[in-house]
Amino acid sequence: MPSSVKALGPARPSGANMAPQAHCCSPAAVQRWLPILAWLPDYSLQWLKMDLIAGLSVGLTVIPQALAYAEVAGLPPQYGLYSAFMGCFVYFFLGTSRDVTLGPTAIMSLLVSFYTFHEPAYAVLLAFLSGCIQLAMGFLRLGFLLDFISCPVIKGFTSAATITIGFGQIKNLLGLQDIPRQFFLQVYQIFRKVGETRVGDAVLGLVCMVLLLVLRLMRDHVPPVHPEMPPGVRLSHGLVWTATTARNALVVSFAALVAYSFEVTGYQPFVLTGQTAEGLPPVRIPSFSVTTANGTVSFTEMVQDMGAGLAVVPLVGLLESIAVAKSFASQNNYRIDANQELLAIGLTNVLGSLVSSYPVTGSFGRTAVNAQSGVCTPAGGLVTGVLVLLSLDYLTSLFSYIPKSALAAVIVMAVAPLFDARIFATLWRVKRLDLLPLCVTFLLCFWEVQYGILAGTLVSVLILLHSVARPKLQVSEGPVLVLQPASGLHFPAVEALREAILTRALEASPPRCAVLECTHICSIDYTVVLGLEELVGDFHRHGVTLAFVGLQVPVLRVLLSADLKGVQYFSTLEEAEKYLRQEPGTQPYNVSEDSVPEHKIALLKA
């Protein structure tokens, strides 16, 4: 695709991508809520051509993946397709990234299997409730909460999920039956039953994985097309590009054709997907109760059954989608609005639940296909959505011939790139302490996903709080003791700072004057004021002086408001040292409005 075209579309520095702060009825505000208005007036035939190509490419990728991810979620195959089209239409209107595609993903499918007990009614209700939570977060502009989940926690979760998903497909690759879904039991039962492997499934699964790998490597090494190339070369390039981009569909179709050929002969060596419900899903509100053999499960009981899933699923969905959007926005030089993305994914899940969708999020793999295909606007999603609907209406009768081993191969090859083995070495080299939340999350996610994410986030927050409570103190020994907190000063750090200063200055013999260099302190609270007041009093009782240098205006404002007595400060460190050495010509400022320099008085009153 020409680079001039790639720069168009939502990448323009206007409309929703810039998220202007404007009056609620202004055109800019309307564009912020409806990003489609930012690019639709400039839509061109060239963009239409590129969006059609990208939409078809993603559609041929998502159909086999959706069938496979339904297996990961523990749901009938059609539920994967039910979940694959609503996001295409919603994101067309509300999305702020031209590249992102919403739909079922491996990680979200894994979470659905954990929290919905393989019951479609639970999965659809979880989509509805997750969407409501995500919409509320978007309207309340709570996207910043996702910033508290650090990169090591995300990497630990995705790596554990990759292993869980990949190992969970070994039973289908080997054709094993009656394997539990709990990870450790699954590992035990697979090794126990490995002697029951069906040769047909194992061979077909291996062949499909090899084909997918070869096609992906071909795609990564296809040289770019140049206008001066002969038409025949460009045609062959286009055919290779199409085959490698639609590799999932090609491999699954090949496997289904092989299985159908055996079916005709009356011998079937593969475990097949089986009957898939035909036609489009009915439009209806989610079931708020479920009737089982043991009676009716009420809405309250369903919510209690899903438990932590009501927090984990919407948060991970938002995290995954926004991470994908930010990644491709950075690569392709445009901006996204995180809060608008919350609204888009929330509305997708709410409306998707009306057509029996389970929770969805942004897909990294399909978004990469979308971007590599040269998509120009979110309109490419319309093509993908229509293709999924057509497959539901006309092709579901053929899906029953797809071998489960072929879908397992698709899943394994899709999740393999998510495992980042290099992150361990990177963190060891960059900051070893970050390995702690990574490993805690990674290990606990094999037990329960919510415990892994919660524990990893808690460890990350504790590391952050420790740095706040115990900031590094730079000490310069000389005629005058100079101490400089290397970061901000907050109430948990006051006692540690006081002890450090007392130890170095007042417990020396004789007691020494000291300078507290406050350049890096931009705000303080009342607890810090009290601590400083006690510290100044300690110095006064020992007959020495504690001087302050580099007080920022917000700090001065707080000290003035607290009417702190006895605090002496200087504009520069040189002035403070000269005064404390009792050299003539330098006088300190006291913390009172009369003694504050005129330029700082103006800033304080601003």
Side-chain angles (χ1 to χ4, degrees), residues 529-546:
V529 172
L530 293 180
L532 293 178
E533 185 176 33
E534 293 177 5
L535 198 56
V536 170
D538 290 336
F539 272 77
H540 181 70
R541 284 189 293 273
H542 284 78
V544 289
T545 302
L546 175 64

Side-chain angles (χ1 to χ4, degrees), residues 242-300:
T242 303
T244 54
T245 300
R247 59 186 177 273
N248 289 326
L250 282 178
V251 169
V252 169
S253 300
F254 159 76
L257 186 60
V258 172
Y260 179 75
S261 301
F262 278 103
E263 187 77 15
V264 170
T265 65
Y267 170 71
Q268 187 55 263
F270 313 120
V271 178
L272 302 183
T273 300
Q275 191 62 36
T276 303
E278 298 185 18
L280 301 177
V283 179
R284 60 191 176 197
I285 62 172
S287 299
F288 291 95
S289 63
V290 177
T291 302
T292 66
N294 298 322
T296 300
V297 181
S298 67
F299 172 72
T300 304

Side-chain angles (χ1 to χ4, degrees), residues 44 59 106 146 151 181-182 184 194 207 218 266 279 283 325 330 355 368 372 452 491 506 549 560 565 567 584 600-601:
S44 65
L146 301 176
C151 180
R181 287 183 174 268
Q182 205 283 332
F184 295 108
V194 71
V207 168
M218 287 176 61
V283 179
S330 175
V355 290
Q372 292 166 2
F491 69 88
L506 300 188
V549 170
L560 285 172
K565 304 296 184 183
V567 173
K600 292 205 171 186
I601 286 283

Side-chain angles (χ1 to χ4, degrees), residues 78 99 143 163 166 177 180 197 199 216 260 296 309 336 448 455 460 484 502 511 521 532 543 567 600:
Q78 65 269 19
D99 299 305
I163 294 174
Q177 303 292 324
T197 299
V199 177
R216 189 174 73 186
Y260 179 75
T296 300
I336 65 158
E448 289 285 349
S460 294
Q484 181 183 39
L502 291 178
I521 302 174
L532 293 178
V567 173
K600 292 205 171 186

Side-chain angles (χ1 to χ4, degrees), residues 310-460:
L310 292 174
V312 174
V313 170
L315 285 178
V316 172
L318 293 176
L319 196 65
E320 189 174 359
S321 187
I322 291 177
V324 170
K326 285 183 176 179
S327 173
F328 283 87
S330 175
Q331 289 179 25
N332 297 321
N333 196 30
Y334 62 89
R335 291 174 57 188
I336 65 158
D337 182 344
N339 287 294
Q340 181 65 24
E341 291 294 304
L342 298 188
L343 296 178
I345 189 173
L347 189 60
T348 293
N349 280 320
V350 169
L351 295 181
S353 68
L354 303 180
V355 290
S356 302
S357 165
Y358 66 80
V360 301
T361 185
S363 165
F364 191 91
R366 295 193 298 274
T367 298
V369 171
N370 209 24
Q372 292 166 2
S373 302
V375 70
C376 293
T377 72
L382 293 181
V383 182
T384 301
V386 169
L387 203 61
V388 173
L389 290 174
L390 290 174
S391 71
L392 274 169
D393 209 21
Y394 296 107
L395 300 179
T396 44
S397 60
L398 303 177
F399 293 156
S400 60
Y401 294 105
I402 298 176
K404 285 190 174 183
S405 58
L407 294 180
V410 169
I411 294 171
V412 170
M413 297 307 296
V415 301
L418 297 178
F419 185 83
D420 188 359
R422 293 175 296 179
I423 188 64
F424 296 92
T426 301
L427 292 182
W428 180 265
R429 186 176 66 254
V430 175
K431 188 176 182 182
R432 295 177 185 178
L433 189 59
D434 282 340
L435 283 170
L436 184 59
L438 173 75
C439 293
V440 167
T441 306
F442 179 75
L443 295 175
L444 286 182
C445 277
F446 289 113
W447 177 31
E448 289 285 349
V449 172
Q450 68 267 25
Y451 296 150
I453 295 174
L454 182 61
T457 303
L458 182 61
V459 171
S460 294

Side-chain angles (χ1 to χ4, degrees), residues 118 167-168 170-172 175-183 185-194 196:
H118 314 149
F167 207 90
I170 291 180
K171 65 180 185 295
N172 290 326
L176 302 178
Q177 303 292 324
D178 301 321
I179 301 295
R181 287 183 174 268
Q182 205 283 332
F183 180 74
L185 290 176
Q186 197 173 78
V187 174
Y188 170 74
Q189 290 292 341
I190 285 175
F191 281 109
R192 181 171 170 269
K193 295 186 175 183
V194 71
E196 301 174 15

